[in-house]
Amino acid sequence: MAQPVGGRSVEAASSVLKQIAAQEIRRMVFAGEMRPGTKVDQDAVAESLGMSKLPVREALISLSGEGIIETIPRRGAFVADLSREDIRDHYWMLGVISGLAAERASATLSDADLDELRVLATEMEEATDLLEIERLNFRFHRLINLGTRSRRLIAELKLLSGAIPSGFFDSHPDSVASSLRDHREIVDALAGRSPGMARTLTEGHFLRGGHRAVALLEERGFWR
């Protein structure tokens, strides 16, 4: 039997709330506000977001699948004991799959797509607002990923990139400068229809991101 439209609306709203809760918990973890081993205060998270505990509980289940949260029966949800290598591995996986995406996209992106990538790279270089740079960065990588024409690759990339909190590197100027240089080199490789170079440059782009992530978390006392 088809589900009522109203039911779909409720389900969609619940999914949005779960995503909001998951993003806030990720932010708190990577901002150092909740360190490894800390128990997640579900009531406090729900109250701060103005929602019930249900989407918070659902978010914690989702985050446990990402390895960020560990749920212990009869004790509750705790921030997982993430190591420096865990962080680097996450970016390594994101880099490997993104590199494969760039390799494939080098053969499928149209001239119009390449022109759009150049425009996005220029807009990022000229932007002064870090949130705007982040938005443009998302569009840049998404355009390359869509060039794979692979539902499976796109789904995996969405999952991996979604685990990185929005605005994570806002306070790290080296990250911005390095990424802008990387983007130009990646576009040149794609425009030159050089699949191997596009893959290598993209992998390196994310590997460096992983090292910067560890350095930033060190500064925030994440492993103190």
Side-chain angles (χ1 to χ4, degrees):
M1 180 181 294
Q3 186 178 23
V5 173
R8 288 200 299 270
S9 298
V10 171
E11 183 178 338
S14 176
S15 178
V16 169
L17 290 175
K18 183 182 78 171
Q19 292 175 23
I20 291 172
Q23 186 67 7
E24 174 61 10
I25 294 168
R26 284 194 203 98
R27 185 199 65 77
M28 294 174 72
V29 170
F30 288 102
E33 296 173 20
M34 290 196 300
R35 293 192 173 90
T38 302
K39 184 174 183 179
V40 179
D41 187 336
Q42 297 183 41
D43 290 319
V45 173
E47 183 177 354
S48 69
L49 294 174
M51 62 177 65
S52 70
K53 285 176 59 177
L54 180 58
V56 175
R57 285 198 298 269
E58 292 176 339
L60 290 170
I61 293 171
S62 177
L63 291 171
S64 67
E66 296 178 12
I68 295 174
I69 295 296
E70 180 180 7
T71 301
I72 302 176
R74 296 182 295 280
R75 289 189 59 196
F78 296 79
V79 178
D81 188 18
L82 294 168
S83 69
R84 294 164 182 80
E85 205 58 34
D86 287 330
I87 303 299
R88 293 191 188 97
D89 283 347
H90 183 89
Y91 279 84
W92 173 78
M93 289 187 291
L94 179 57
V96 168
I97 300 178
S98 295
L100 176 58
E103 181 180 66
R104 292 191 180 180
S106 67
T108 59
L109 290 173
S110 66
D111 289 342
D113 292 330
L114 293 168
D115 286 341
E116 185 175 352
L117 287 172
R118 293 188 185 97
V119 169
L120 290 169
T122 298
E123 290 179 349
M124 276 187 275
E125 292 165 355
E126 296 176 348
T128 56
D129 181 76
L130 290 169
L131 290 177
E132 175 66 6
I133 293 174
E134 184 175 275
R135 185 184 68 82
L136 293 167
N137 180 68
F138 171 81
R139 289 176 56 192
F140 181 91
H141 287 289
R142 184 172 184 272
L143 180 55
I144 295 173
N145 296 341
L146 290 175
T148 66
R149 301 174 184 173
S150 167
R151 291 176 180 267
R152 183 59 179 160
L153 281 179
I154 292 170
E156 287 299 323
L157 287 165
K158 182 178 180 180
L159 178 64
L160 287 167
S161 61
I164 301 173
S166 175
F168 186 38
F169 291 117
D170 280 3
S171 60
H172 209 295
D174 289 347
S175 170
V176 177
S178 176
S179 291
L180 296 181
R181 290 192 298 270
D182 290 350
H183 290 156
R184 283 293 180 186
E185 293 178 351
I186 291 169
V187 174
D188 287 344
L190 292 169
R193 307 300 180 182
S194 302
M197 183 59 69
R199 181 171 189 163
T200 297
L201 290 170
T202 302
E203 287 182 357
H205 176 65
F206 286 98
L207 283 173
R208 284 187 289 278
H211 291 304
R212 288 194 298 267
V214 170
L216 182 58
L217 290 172
E218 292 274 14
E219 292 172 8
R220 294 178 177 180
F222 188 75
W223 289 286
R224 185 179 304 162

